[in-house]
Amino acid sequence: MTNNDIFKKLRVALMLRDDQIVEILELVDFRISKTELSAFFRAENHENYVECGDQVLRNFLNGLVIHLRGTKENPKNPNDVLAKHKAQIPTKEGNSDRPEFKAKPKDEERARGDQSPSKTKPAPKKKPFKKPAPKVQVVEKVKYNFGKNKKS
């Protein structure tokens, strides 16, 4: 796995935008522009593709630690920071709730509120769990001589 792959996966997992990544890198005094940063996320066959160097990835990871945990003087809760990132993601117009996080009902037909559920056969009852039979000891205590003939 290349540095670019790691950088891309971190960006997607943490839901970071380019300007947030630039801010994270500035926490460790590493300056980079958005255009330089976008070159890391291009396809490998693109003419402006640039391989992410070890120094960029190292500084990003160090900055990410400070961004999520904070400093000794000003500690942060990483879960609060990640929740803040999720809240900053823009929602699509006309849809107030986010469908990708909405749980689907187990049985859509039974979840309908406007009609009664159709007449389908009931779910089969679960069989009770039976305890397995106790293990039978096949080999009893045996004394091994390991090939040596000892006379006692």
Side-chain angles (χ1 to χ4, degrees):
M1 184 179 283
T2 64
N3 288 350
N4 284 46
D5 295 335
I6 295 169
F7 206 37
K8 287 177 186 177
K9 289 184 184 210
L10 283 171
R11 178 186 183 198
V12 171
L14 297 172
M15 297 174 273
L16 296 172
R17 297 186 318 262
D18 288 344
D19 55 339
Q20 292 172 326
I21 294 174
V22 171
E23 289 174 11
I24 289 171
L25 286 168
E26 286 179 359
L27 291 174
V28 289
D29 295 326
F30 189 83
R31 309 262 186 298
I32 191 169
S33 67
K34 286 184 184 180
T35 54
E36 291 174 310
L37 189 64
S38 67
F40 300 139
F41 301 117
R42 297 184 188 277
E44 289 183 21
N45 55 2
H46 193 277
E47 64 184 41
N48 294 333
Y49 171 79
V50 175
E51 185 72 29
C52 177
D54 293 340
Q55 184 180 11
V56 175
L57 186 61
R58 184 185 72 240
N59 283 311
F60 174 70
L61 292 174
N62 289 335
L64 189 62
V65 169
I66 295 170
H67 177 71
L68 292 176
R69 293 186 193 164
T71 59
K72 283 185 177 181
E73 297 82 27
N74 187 15
K76 297 180 187 176
N77 184 355
N79 291 331
D80 294 340
V81 175
L82 293 174
K84 182 179 171 185
H85 287 283
K86 283 186 181 180
Q88 289 178 350
I89 296 174
T91 57
K92 295 180 181 176
E93 291 183 19
N95 192 0
S96 60
D97 53 325
R98 309 236 338 247
E100 62 265 19
F101 296 113
K102 191 173 182 181
K104 293 183 180 179
K106 290 183 180 178
D107 186 1
E108 292 180 8
E109 203 166 274
R110 290 185 182 193
R112 294 185 310 205
D114 59 340
Q115 299 175 6
S116 62
S118 65
K119 305 295 180 190
T120 58
K121 57 183 177 180
K125 293 184 179 181
K126 294 182 179 179
K127 295 179 183 178
F129 180 73
K130 293 182 182 179
K131 292 184 178 179
K135 293 184 178 179
V136 178
Q137 192 171 11
V138 178
V139 179
E140 296 179 10
K141 293 183 180 180
V142 178
K143 185 176 180 182
Y144 293 99
N145 290 331
F146 298 107
K148 296 179 181 177
N149 294 329
K150 291 184 179 180
K151 295 182 180 178
S152 46

